mmCIF file of all heavy atoms in Angstrom:
data_model
loop_
_atom_site.group_PDB
_atom_site.id
_atom_site.type_symbol
_atom_site.label_atom_id
_atom_site.label_comp_id
_atom_site.label_asym_id
_atom_site.label_seq_id
_atom_site.Cartn_x
_atom_site.Cartn_y
_atom_site.Cartn_z
ATOM 1 N N ALA K 21 -18.315 7.961 -5.604
ATOM 2 C CA ALA K 21 -19.064 7.668 -4.379
ATOM 3 C C ALA K 21 -20.241 6.736 -4.635
ATOM 4 O O ALA K 21 -20.578 5.892 -3.804
ATOM 5 C CB ALA K 21 -19.555 8.958 -3.742
ATOM 6 N N ALA K 22 -20.885 6.895 -5.798
ATOM 7 C CA ALA K 22 -22.063 6.076 -6.084
ATOM 8 C C ALA K 22 -21.715 4.746 -6.734
ATOM 9 O O ALA K 22 -22.589 3.912 -6.962
ATOM 10 C CB ALA K 22 -23.022 6.851 -6.987
ATOM 11 N N GLU K 23 -20.435 4.537 -7.038
ATOM 12 C CA GLU K 23 -20.039 3.304 -7.706
ATOM 13 C C GLU K 23 -19.675 2.223 -6.691
ATOM 14 O O GLU K 23 -19.282 2.500 -5.573
ATOM 15 C CB GLU K 23 -18.835 3.566 -8.612
ATOM 16 C CG GLU K 23 -19.116 4.579 -9.709
ATOM 17 C CD GLU K 23 -17.889 4.848 -10.547
ATOM 18 O OE1 GLU K 23 -16.879 4.169 -10.328
ATOM 19 O OE2 GLU K 23 -17.957 5.738 -11.411
ATOM 20 N N ARG K 24 -19.826 0.994 -7.100
ATOM 21 C CA ARG K 24 -19.392 -0.122 -6.264
ATOM 22 C C ARG K 24 -17.984 -0.522 -6.671
ATOM 23 O O ARG K 24 -17.644 -0.560 -7.841
ATOM 24 C CB ARG K 24 -20.338 -1.311 -6.449
ATOM 25 C CG ARG K 24 -21.734 -1.068 -5.933
ATOM 26 C CD ARG K 24 -22.581 -2.307 -6.117
ATOM 27 N NE ARG K 24 -22.011 -3.447 -5.429
ATOM 28 C CZ ARG K 24 -22.421 -4.702 -5.594
ATOM 29 N NH1 ARG K 24 -23.402 -4.960 -6.430
ATOM 30 N NH2 ARG K 24 -21.852 -5.679 -4.932
ATOM 31 N N TYR K 25 -17.165 -0.806 -5.682
ATOM 32 C CA TYR K 25 -15.813 -1.253 -5.963
ATOM 33 C C TYR K 25 -15.842 -2.779 -6.073
ATOM 34 O O TYR K 25 -15.882 -3.482 -5.076
ATOM 35 C CB TYR K 25 -14.869 -0.816 -4.843
ATOM 36 C CG TYR K 25 -14.698 0.681 -4.739
ATOM 37 C CD1 TYR K 25 -14.384 1.281 -3.528
ATOM 38 C CD2 TYR K 25 -14.840 1.496 -5.848
ATOM 39 C CE1 TYR K 25 -14.213 2.650 -3.429
ATOM 40 C CE2 TYR K 25 -14.677 2.858 -5.759
ATOM 41 C CZ TYR K 25 -14.357 3.429 -4.551
ATOM 42 O OH TYR K 25 -14.197 4.786 -4.469
ATOM 43 N N ASP K 26 -15.824 -3.281 -7.293
ATOM 44 C CA ASP K 26 -15.970 -4.716 -7.514
ATOM 45 C C ASP K 26 -14.659 -5.407 -7.829
ATOM 46 O O ASP K 26 -14.637 -6.603 -8.088
ATOM 47 C CB ASP K 26 -16.974 -4.969 -8.651
ATOM 48 C CG ASP K 26 -18.395 -4.615 -8.244
ATOM 49 O OD1 ASP K 26 -18.715 -4.778 -7.054
ATOM 50 O OD2 ASP K 26 -19.173 -4.168 -9.107
ATOM 51 N N GLY K 27 -13.546 -4.664 -7.828
ATOM 52 C CA GLY K 27 -12.266 -5.283 -8.132
ATOM 53 C C GLY K 27 -11.770 -6.141 -6.982
ATOM 54 O O GLY K 27 -12.095 -5.908 -5.818
ATOM 55 N N THR K 28 -10.981 -7.138 -7.305
ATOM 56 C CA THR K 28 -10.344 -7.986 -6.295
ATOM 57 C C THR K 28 -8.944 -7.450 -6.039
ATOM 58 O O THR K 28 -8.140 -7.322 -6.969
ATOM 59 C CB THR K 28 -10.281 -9.447 -6.766
ATOM 60 O OG1 THR K 28 -11.615 -9.922 -6.973
ATOM 61 C CG2 THR K 28 -9.587 -10.308 -5.728
ATOM 62 N N VAL K 29 -8.644 -7.139 -4.785
ATOM 63 C CA VAL K 29 -7.378 -6.491 -4.437
ATOM 64 C C VAL K 29 -6.629 -7.352 -3.418
ATOM 65 O O VAL K 29 -7.217 -7.790 -2.423
ATOM 66 C CB VAL K 29 -7.615 -5.091 -3.842
ATOM 67 C CG1 VAL K 29 -6.294 -4.431 -3.466
ATOM 68 C CG2 VAL K 29 -8.409 -4.221 -4.813
ATOM 69 N N ASP K 30 -5.355 -7.576 -3.694
ATOM 70 C CA ASP K 30 -4.489 -8.218 -2.706
ATOM 71 C C ASP K 30 -3.919 -7.103 -1.834
ATOM 72 O O ASP K 30 -2.966 -6.410 -2.218
ATOM 73 C CB ASP K 30 -3.362 -8.987 -3.401
ATOM 74 C CG ASP K 30 -2.562 -9.846 -2.418
ATOM 75 O OD1 ASP K 30 -2.534 -9.502 -1.217
ATOM 76 O OD2 ASP K 30 -1.975 -10.845 -2.849
ATOM 77 N N LEU K 31 -4.525 -6.900 -0.662
ATOM 78 C CA LEU K 31 -4.126 -5.793 0.195
ATOM 79 C C LEU K 31 -2.685 -5.951 0.676
ATOM 80 O O LEU K 31 -1.960 -4.962 0.834
ATOM 81 C CB LEU K 31 -5.079 -5.683 1.390
ATOM 82 C CG LEU K 31 -4.891 -4.472 2.299
ATOM 83 C CD1 LEU K 31 -4.997 -3.173 1.522
ATOM 84 C CD2 LEU K 31 -5.907 -4.494 3.446
ATOM 85 N N ALA K 32 -2.250 -7.187 0.913
ATOM 86 C CA ALA K 32 -0.863 -7.413 1.339
ATOM 87 C C ALA K 32 0.113 -6.889 0.287
ATOM 88 O O ALA K 32 1.103 -6.216 0.607
ATOM 89 C CB ALA K 32 -0.630 -8.903 1.593
ATOM 90 N N GLU K 33 -0.168 -7.168 -0.963
ATOM 91 C CA GLU K 33 0.702 -6.702 -2.045
ATOM 92 C C GLU K 33 0.731 -5.174 -2.101
ATOM 93 O O GLU K 33 1.799 -4.564 -2.255
ATOM 94 C CB GLU K 33 0.206 -7.273 -3.372
ATOM 95 C CG GLU K 33 1.054 -6.878 -4.562
ATOM 96 C CD GLU K 33 0.522 -7.481 -5.854
ATOM 97 O OE1 GLU K 33 -0.343 -8.374 -5.786
ATOM 98 O OE2 GLU K 33 0.986 -7.040 -6.922
ATOM 99 N N GLN K 34 -0.439 -4.542 -1.945
ATOM 100 C CA GLN K 34 -0.511 -3.078 -2.015
ATOM 101 C C GLN K 34 0.206 -2.428 -0.832
ATOM 102 O O GLN K 34 0.823 -1.372 -0.975
ATOM 103 C CB GLN K 34 -1.970 -2.623 -2.077
ATOM 104 C CG GLN K 34 -2.731 -3.101 -3.298
ATOM 105 C CD GLN K 34 -2.009 -2.753 -4.581
ATOM 106 O OE1 GLN K 34 -1.472 -1.652 -4.732
ATOM 107 N NE2 GLN K 34 -1.981 -3.705 -5.509
ATOM 108 N N VAL K 35 0.141 -3.047 0.333
ATOM 109 C CA VAL K 35 0.851 -2.521 1.500
ATOM 110 C C VAL K 35 2.357 -2.541 1.257
ATOM 111 O O VAL K 35 3.071 -1.575 1.576
ATOM 112 C CB VAL K 35 0.479 -3.328 2.763
ATOM 113 C CG1 VAL K 35 1.487 -3.066 3.890
ATOM 114 C CG2 VAL K 35 -0.928 -2.963 3.228
ATOM 115 N N HIS K 36 2.868 -3.620 0.689
ATOM 116 C CA HIS K 36 4.310 -3.702 0.417
ATOM 117 C C HIS K 36 4.731 -2.706 -0.665
ATOM 118 O O HIS K 36 5.821 -2.127 -0.588
ATOM 119 C CB HIS K 36 4.694 -5.122 0.022
ATOM 120 C CG HIS K 36 4.846 -6.045 1.191
ATOM 121 N ND1 HIS K 36 5.977 -6.052 1.989
ATOM 122 C CD2 HIS K 36 3.998 -6.973 1.724
ATOM 123 C CE1 HIS K 36 5.826 -6.949 2.949
ATOM 124 N NE2 HIS K 36 4.639 -7.527 2.813
ATOM 125 N N VAL K 37 3.873 -2.498 -1.667
ATOM 126 C CA VAL K 37 4.179 -1.499 -2.695
ATOM 127 C C VAL K 37 4.263 -0.113 -2.065
ATOM 128 O O VAL K 37 5.179 0.671 -2.354
ATOM 129 C CB VAL K 37 3.112 -1.512 -3.806
ATOM 130 C CG1 VAL K 37 3.303 -0.328 -4.747
ATOM 131 C CG2 VAL K 37 3.170 -2.816 -4.596
ATOM 132 N N ALA K 38 3.299 0.197 -1.172
ATOM 133 C CA ALA K 38 3.304 1.489 -0.493
ATOM 134 C C ALA K 38 4.543 1.644 0.383
ATOM 135 O O ALA K 38 5.196 2.693 0.390
ATOM 136 C CB ALA K 38 2.031 1.646 0.343
ATOM 137 N N ALA K 39 4.887 0.589 1.117
ATOM 138 C CA ALA K 39 6.058 0.642 2.006
ATOM 139 C C ALA K 39 7.344 0.828 1.199
ATOM 140 O O ALA K 39 8.211 1.634 1.566
ATOM 141 C CB ALA K 39 6.137 -0.629 2.838
ATOM 142 N N ASP K 40 7.481 0.105 0.088
ATOM 143 C CA ASP K 40 8.689 0.218 -0.739
ATOM 144 C C ASP K 40 8.855 1.634 -1.294
ATOM 145 O O ASP K 40 9.973 2.114 -1.476
ATOM 146 C CB ASP K 40 8.628 -0.778 -1.899
ATOM 147 C CG ASP K 40 8.782 -2.216 -1.425
ATOM 148 O OD1 ASP K 40 9.248 -2.416 -0.290
ATOM 149 O OD2 ASP K 40 8.413 -3.133 -2.187
ATOM 150 N N ALA K 41 7.709 2.294 -1.560
ATOM 151 C CA ALA K 41 7.778 3.655 -2.100
ATOM 152 C C ALA K 41 8.131 4.677 -1.024
ATOM 153 O O ALA K 41 8.767 5.695 -1.318
ATOM 154 C CB ALA K 41 6.433 4.025 -2.733
ATOM 155 N N CYS K 42 7.746 4.409 0.218
ATOM 156 C CA CYS K 42 7.923 5.395 1.293
ATOM 157 C C CYS K 42 9.229 5.234 2.061
ATOM 158 O O CYS K 42 9.815 6.224 2.507
ATOM 159 C CB CYS K 42 6.765 5.301 2.294
ATOM 160 S SG CYS K 42 5.144 5.690 1.600
ATOM 161 N N LEU K 43 9.689 4.016 2.251
ATOM 162 C CA LEU K 43 10.797 3.770 3.175
ATOM 163 C C LEU K 43 12.142 4.367 2.759
ATOM 164 O O LEU K 43 12.946 4.722 3.637
ATOM 165 C CB LEU K 43 10.945 2.267 3.415
ATOM 166 C CG LEU K 43 9.773 1.631 4.168
ATOM 167 C CD1 LEU K 43 10.072 0.181 4.474
ATOM 168 C CD2 LEU K 43 9.475 2.399 5.456
ATOM 169 N N PRO K 44 12.434 4.531 1.466
ATOM 170 C CA PRO K 44 13.700 5.185 1.133
ATOM 171 C C PRO K 44 13.833 6.592 1.701
ATOM 172 O O PRO K 44 14.933 7.110 1.838
ATOM 173 C CB PRO K 44 13.677 5.212 -0.406
ATOM 174 C CG PRO K 44 12.855 4.027 -0.780
ATOM 175 C CD PRO K 44 11.779 3.979 0.272
ATOM 176 N N ALA K 45 12.677 7.208 2.036
ATOM 177 C CA ALA K 45 12.704 8.571 2.590
ATOM 178 C C ALA K 45 12.993 8.580 4.078
ATOM 179 O O ALA K 45 13.066 9.635 4.690
ATOM 180 C CB ALA K 45 11.362 9.254 2.308
ATOM 181 N N THR K 46 13.158 7.416 4.697
ATOM 182 C CA THR K 46 13.323 7.382 6.147
ATOM 183 C C THR K 46 14.466 6.477 6.599
ATOM 184 O O THR K 46 14.237 5.506 7.327
ATOM 185 C CB THR K 46 12.001 6.962 6.824
ATOM 186 O OG1 THR K 46 12.213 6.894 8.241
ATOM 187 C CG2 THR K 46 11.484 5.629 6.319
ATOM 188 N N PRO K 47 15.695 6.764 6.181
ATOM 189 C CA PRO K 47 16.815 5.922 6.618
ATOM 190 C C PRO K 47 17.158 6.115 8.097
ATOM 191 O O PRO K 47 17.939 5.349 8.658
ATOM 192 C CB PRO K 47 17.966 6.403 5.725
ATOM 193 C CG PRO K 47 17.615 7.821 5.398
ATOM 194 C CD PRO K 47 16.119 7.848 5.290
ATOM 195 N N VAL K 48 16.580 7.143 8.729
ATOM 196 C CA VAL K 48 16.945 7.455 10.117
ATOM 197 C C VAL K 48 16.030 6.770 11.122
ATOM 198 O O VAL K 48 16.217 6.900 12.330
ATOM 199 C CB VAL K 48 16.925 8.982 10.356
ATOM 200 C CG1 VAL K 48 17.989 9.655 9.503
ATOM 201 C CG2 VAL K 48 15.544 9.568 10.050
ATOM 202 N N HIS K 49 15.019 6.048 10.655
ATOM 203 C CA HIS K 49 14.092 5.372 11.555
ATOM 204 C C HIS K 49 14.348 3.863 11.572
ATOM 205 O O HIS K 49 14.852 3.295 10.602
ATOM 206 C CB HIS K 49 12.631 5.621 11.139
ATOM 207 C CG HIS K 49 12.201 7.056 11.239
ATOM 208 N ND1 HIS K 49 12.112 7.880 10.141
ATOM 209 C CD2 HIS K 49 11.846 7.806 12.315
ATOM 210 C CE1 HIS K 49 11.713 9.079 10.522
ATOM 211 N NE2 HIS K 49 11.548 9.062 11.831
ATOM 212 N N THR K 50 13.963 3.261 12.674
ATOM 213 C CA THR K 50 13.957 1.806 12.747
ATOM 214 C C THR K 50 12.585 1.325 12.282
ATOM 215 O O THR K 50 11.567 1.681 12.887
ATOM 216 C CB THR K 50 14.209 1.331 14.185
ATOM 217 O OG1 THR K 50 15.462 1.837 14.628
ATOM 218 C CG2 THR K 50 14.213 -0.190 14.249
ATOM 219 N N VAL K 51 12.555 0.552 11.208
ATOM 220 C CA VAL K 51 11.279 0.172 10.586
ATOM 221 C C VAL K 51 11.093 -1.338 10.648
ATOM 222 O O VAL K 51 12.011 -2.107 10.335
ATOM 223 C CB VAL K 51 11.224 0.652 9.124
ATOM 224 C CG1 VAL K 51 9.910 0.208 8.482
ATOM 225 C CG2 VAL K 51 11.390 2.158 9.047
#
């Protein structure tokens, strides 16, 4: 909480990583 987050993050890349990890669990939805 007291630390500063000074890293540079490509949020687009992280969103796709998160989506790739989650979507195999939902073949019944339209995504």
Side-chain angles (χ1 to χ4, degrees):
E23 299 178 6
R24 293 182 59 191
Y25 294 152
D26 290 328
T28 299
V29 179
D30 189 334
L31 187 57
E33 181 180 348
Q34 298 307 318
V35 164
H36 280 281
V37 171
D40 290 343
C42 297
L43 293 186
T46 178
V48 296
H49 296 102
T50 301
V51 178

